[in-house]
Amino acid sequence: MYVIIVLALVRTLTLSTSIHCFSILCLPSAGGEVALYFLLPQKAGGTLELYRSTTAGKRLPPDPLRIPVARFSPSPSEWPFIDRKAAHNTFYYYRACYRPLPGFPVWSSLASCTTSGTALPPLRKPSLFVDKENFILEVRDDGAPMKRYPIDLGQNSRRRKLFQDRASTPEGIYKIICVQNNATYYKAYDLDYPTPIDRIRYRFALAHRLLPAEGGALPPIGGEIQIHGLCVGYNWTWGCIAMRNRDMDELMSRREIGVGTEVLICGSEVTEEDMALEMKGLSMKETKALQQELAGMGFYHGGIDGILDEETSFSLGSFQLSRKLPVTCEPDSRTLRLLRIRK
């Protein structure tokens, strides 16, 4: 069962941008997913963009920096499109933009729905998964998804935190290091940013003059990243992950979630595939092959010892910088494919 939203996009013969109607049909959804049907002229070419947010606007997205907006590009083969990354028990707005070939963009009317709620069950091996692109925090139990919650981030939510910019959120694998039942923003979990790989990336950025200087001073690496409460609806944090107070209450009621709980944060630079790769790790044979490839290109000058040390990480950063990849200084999936280490 799904919440079904029918977004009607109607084009005139002159390919005008007039919108004529939309209709909504809602049904119970045990899983919290949302199904979206798009009514378009038969044999219509072009592309479709879909936007989802917890905040309304005359033309969603009204401000992609200030407003938490998830964007999808469903192909006709995916219609109806199932939004499987919607949070539970959340009121959402959806809007679609159809771009015909040729012609002008056609916007649907604003549609809204409330996803179903579900109680968080007892957990045996909990972890938290934060999806920055979809603005959700998902509680997992031994890797299996249990419940999703809406979140807000900072005003540079797409960027991976590199330094103290009061706008971006880290990406990678972190842990809860402190639980605050009475925090500045209601309740909070403190995360262990910066980790060793965050510090390596920061030192690499320093060495390659990639950090902005304000008033002649370079910014520090930053810290004090939390998952905390207060509200959702706008990207208002300085890089933390904000939730609704009632959602923080539910998480805090689970004593299984506490100091040592793993927090995986994916986004534009570190994907879920990258984190799975990092958790599994490269074999010594693969690391040697990585060092050999980088040495052959002139990026690595150390020994071929199969040890993923800082020198190897710096050489990875130099390679990524030269190929205009996200500079992770890690053997991420995109880098390994380019180096022919893994398919």
Side-chain angles (χ1 to χ4, degrees), residues 32 52 54 68-70 72 83-88 90 92 94 115 128-140 145 147-153 158 227 232 241-243 263-266 272:
R52 179 248 285 157
T54 51
V69 177
F72 311 94
D83 181 1
R84 304 185 190 281
K85 295 294 186 178
H88 291 90
T90 302
Y92 277 124
Y94 285 89
T115 58
L128 305 181
F129 177 79
V130 176
D131 185 338
K132 291 170 55 178
E133 299 288 298
N134 283 289
F135 292 94
I136 59 168
L137 181 148
E138 182 177 77
V139 176
R140 296 180 174 181
K147 187 173 181 179
R148 298 180 297 275
Y149 302 88
I151 61 170
D152 286 341
L153 301 170
R158 304 299 182 192
I227 299 171
V232 298
I241 298 153
M243 301 179 68
V263 180
L264 298 87
I265 308 176
C266 76
E272 191 168 3

Side-chain angles (χ1 to χ4, degrees), residues 27-146:
L27 297 174
S29 170
E33 295 91 352
V34 179
L36 297 112
Y37 291 80
F38 312 101
L39 305 181
L40 291 169
Q42 290 185 350
K43 298 181 181 179
T47 59
L48 187 71
E49 297 168 358
L50 175 66
Y51 300 90
R52 179 248 285 157
S53 181
T54 51
T55 302
K58 292 182 179 179
R59 289 195 66 167
L60 184 65
D63 185 344
L65 294 179
R66 189 168 179 233
I67 306 299
V69 177
R71 176 180 174 178
F72 311 94
S73 299
S75 65
S77 63
E78 295 178 296
W79 298 0
F81 175 73
I82 309 300
D83 181 1
R84 304 185 190 281
K85 295 294 186 178
H88 291 90
N89 193 28
T90 302
F91 188 80
Y92 277 124
Y93 296 93
Y94 285 89
R95 196 164 195 182
C97 180
Y98 174 60
R99 301 183 183 276
L101 297 175
F104 299 100
V106 181
W107 285 86
S108 76
S109 300
L110 197 64
S112 61
C113 72
T114 300
T115 58
S116 67
T118 182
L120 185 62
L123 307 167
R124 295 179 297 106
K125 190 179 178 181
S127 62
L128 305 181
F129 177 79
V130 176
D131 185 338
K132 291 170 55 178
E133 299 288 298
N134 283 289
F135 292 94
I136 59 168
L137 181 148
E138 182 177 77
V139 176
R140 296 180 174 181
D141 194 19
D142 201 15
M146 295 289 109

